[in-house]
Amino acid sequence: MDSEFSERNTFSETNPVKIGIIGAGAVSDYHHVPGIGIDPRAHLEIVCDASAELLKQRRSDWPVARTTTDYKEVCADPAVDAVIIATPNFTHAEIALEAAKNGKHVMCEKPLGLSAAEVRQMYHALRDAKVVHMTAFTYRFAPAMRYLKHLLDAGALGQPRHFRSQRFLDLPETSWGWRQYKKTAGAGDLYDMTIHRIDFALDLFGPLKSICGSVARFASRTQTATGESCAPSEVDDWSSLIGEFASGAVGVWEGTTLAKGYHRNGFGHEWAEVNGSEGSAVYRLHQPNVILLGKSGQDLAPVNVPAEFLKPEGSWRDPAEGEPATVFRYDLVWEFVSAIVEGRAAAPSFYDGLQAQVVADAVLQSHEERVWIDIPAEPR
Ligand SMILES: NC(=O)c1ccc[n+]([C@@H]2O[C@H](COP(=O)([O-])OP(=O)(O)OC[C@H]3O[C@@H](n4cnc5c(N)ncnc54)[C@H](O)[C@@H]3O)[C@@H](O)[C@H]2O)c1
């Protein structure tokens, strides 16, 4: 047990980690509830949502009897060990601070907050409460990403020189709901999509030294999917940056939710590439169990991800089961619960969430001021 975590419980399959989910929308249904469902060390104790109607639905969809519309009730509940925060971005800070006050372990969806200053406060509160804190940066768990990191760390690609990320989705141009307003979302594609890619680049290459960013809005989104009028979008549909890592390597990122023809069954186009002095390797979301690998003089060619990288050791998933581009997402809960059970830090932590937020905020500042922005080192 790491000394930075207070020891309060001994968890096991007979004494599972009791989890409260706050925010019963899409991501909880797609990632977190299935993740809890396959982990015998985890129990879904209570679900909170602002919508009583949705809670009624969830009591029949999900294996849970207790529900509430008040997140403070979940945070104060002595029967709850840990909370998963999966609400709109503007609510994350108040809920995380309440959870910290009550000594609950926290996994929070990305982006952790609406600004780096807000996220720094959240990180400090959870760190000082000596609880496990985790940012739900899902794509770190993709098998091809795990294998790519292994190859890079083992030196198989030589000296890392260059990172490239492309994330293109073909989503509708109708209203994005809370996601299209600055006060509820903070930013658009940048906080929704590109922030994940900033995170895994930091994980692969280490800290960024300086970045130059740009964002653009393509659609006004003044109609909902059912044809009602709404206030126009205030956020970006496209986000991009180039950056210099402290190591001397460089990177380029681009993402948009409005790339026509990139639908690919809803999974879109994702390409993340590392070029090293000895070789190149590529992760693609739609084929997460295969990487593309190439050495000088060759063409990139598919290589199956070896069995030991198809899931973290001990994960309850059967990698042969389910849609590969979906099921690795269940390892978020596996990592969160494992960290709690083992009394260790979770990865990615709130510190990682803060680092990515600092870079994302620098993209907005760079765009606004038309300048490169230096990224200060963030104290732990
Ligand atoms: N990690 C990923 O890959 C990933 C994927 C999708 C969404 N997300 C993130 O997850 C979060 C939720 O996204 P979503 O797509 O599930 O949104 P959603 O709109 O489908 O669900 C959010 C839910 O939160 C509820 N809610 C709002 N305010 C609340 C409050 N104060 N207390 C309790 N419930 C409240 C809403 O009623 C809604 O049901 C966002 O931060 C988003 O960026 C992450």
Side-chain angles (χ1 to χ4, degrees):
M1 170 102 34
D2 287 359
S3 58
E4 70 179 277
F5 297 101
S6 52
E7 191 175 357
R8 281 186 300 269
N9 281 301
T10 35
F11 295 107
S12 66
E13 293 183 25
T14 49
N15 178 30
V17 178
K18 291 181 268 331
I19 297 176
I21 286 186
I22 302 172
V27 77
S28 289
D29 195 44
Y30 189 38
H31 297 182
H32 305 313
V33 171
I36 294 169
I38 59 171
D39 194 330
R41 306 163 305 167
H43 172 73
L44 181 55
E45 178 66 27
I46 186 167
V47 172
C48 168
D49 198 278
S51 161
E53 203 182 323
L54 180 61
L55 288 175
K56 188 170 170 226
Q57 176 68 36
R58 293 315 191 198
R59 282 195 297 273
S60 71
D61 296 341
W62 296 349
V64 69
R66 295 179 62 210
T67 58
T68 173
T69 52
D70 181 3
Y71 74 82
K72 289 189 177 169
E73 206 183 295
V74 178
C75 292
D77 190 336
V80 169
D81 303 305
V83 299
I84 295 177
I85 303 173
T87 48
N89 305 347
F90 74 103
T91 64
H92 293 176
E94 58 178 303
I95 300 173
L97 294 176
E98 188 69 18
K101 202 170 84 185
N102 286 277
K104 307 298 184 196
H105 305 291
V106 175
M107 173 159 70
C108 182
E109 276 300 343
K110 46 47 66 180
L112 287 182
L114 298 183
S115 68
E118 185 177 84
V119 172
R120 196 170 287 114
Q121 196 193 353
M122 296 158 73
Y123 165 55
H124 289 169
L126 288 162
R127 179 196 63 189
D128 296 349
K130 296 185 183 300
V131 293
V132 171
H133 46 83
M134 178 167 167
T135 307
F137 281 134
T138 315
Y139 303 93
R140 277 208 198 186
F141 295 86
M145 182 55 70
R146 300 182 68 243
Y147 187 43
L148 195 153
K149 181 166 168 60
H150 163 78
L151 291 175
L152 190 67
D153 291 350
L157 305 175
Q159 183 67 27
R161 288 176 169 168
H162 165 220
F163 172 83
R164 167 180 294 120
S165 164
Q166 295 174 332
R167 181 67 174 130
F168 302 150
L169 284 154
D170 184 357
L171 297 183
E173 299 201 0
T174 44
S175 166
W176 236 11
W178 61 264
R179 280 181 165 82
Q180 69 181 24
Y181 303 110
K182 284 190 178 162
K183 68 176 193 310
T184 46
D189 180 74
L190 176 66
Y191 278 11
D192 207 52
M193 302 291 167
T194 298
I195 200 160
H196 283 288
R197 284 82 213 172
I198 294 171
D199 170 68
F200 57 57
L202 296 176
D203 188 40
L204 293 169
F205 277 65
L208 275 159
K209 191 176 64 181
S210 195
I211 66 102
C212 182
S214 186
V215 293
R217 181 162 60 251
F218 301 140
S220 60
R221 302 179 188 269
T222 51
Q223 281 216 323
T224 66
T226 49
E228 289 124 53
S229 301
C230 61
S233 167
E234 301 163 349
V235 300
D236 54 289
D237 295 312
W238 172 85
S239 57
S240 68
L241 62 149
I242 55 175
E244 295 170 351
F245 292 90
S247 67
V250 291
V252 54
W253 293 249
E254 189 192 10
T256 179
T257 51
L258 297 180
K260 310 303 178 196
Y262 281 93
H263 192 263
R264 197 176 257 152
N265 214 14
F267 290 113
H269 164 81
E270 169 150 44
W271 177 284
E273 173 178 354
V274 171
N275 300 142
S277 56
E278 304 296 324
S280 300
V282 179
Y283 144 82
R284 295 161 308 154
L285 172 61
H286 75 287
Q287 285 200 331
N289 295 346
V290 175
I291 64 163
L292 301 180
L293 198 57
K295 300 261 173 178
S296 187
Q298 305 171 344
D299 292 332
L300 291 171
V303 172
N304 287 332
V305 172
E308 70 260 41
F309 296 98
L310 290 178
K311 61 175 190 172
E313 197 184 341
S315 158
W316 306 92
R317 282 194 304 116
D318 175 354
E321 255 180 39
E323 162 57 58
T326 293
V327 292
F328 68 79
R329 299 159 198 263
Y330 308 159
D331 290 335
L332 283 165
V333 165
W334 176 84
E335 168 63 13
F336 183 45
V337 172
S338 297
I340 296 168
V341 169
E342 294 164 22
R344 62 164 171 85
S349 68
F350 265 49
Y351 179 75
D352 298 301
L354 171 57
Q355 281 197 308
Q357 190 95 33
V358 167
V359 174
D361 285 9
V363 170
L364 295 174
Q365 188 189 348
S366 170
H367 176 75
E368 194 76 20
E369 297 175 8
R370 318 306 264 181
V371 291
W372 279 76
I373 306 291
D374 288 340
I375 308 293
E378 190 63 45
R380 275 196 183 268

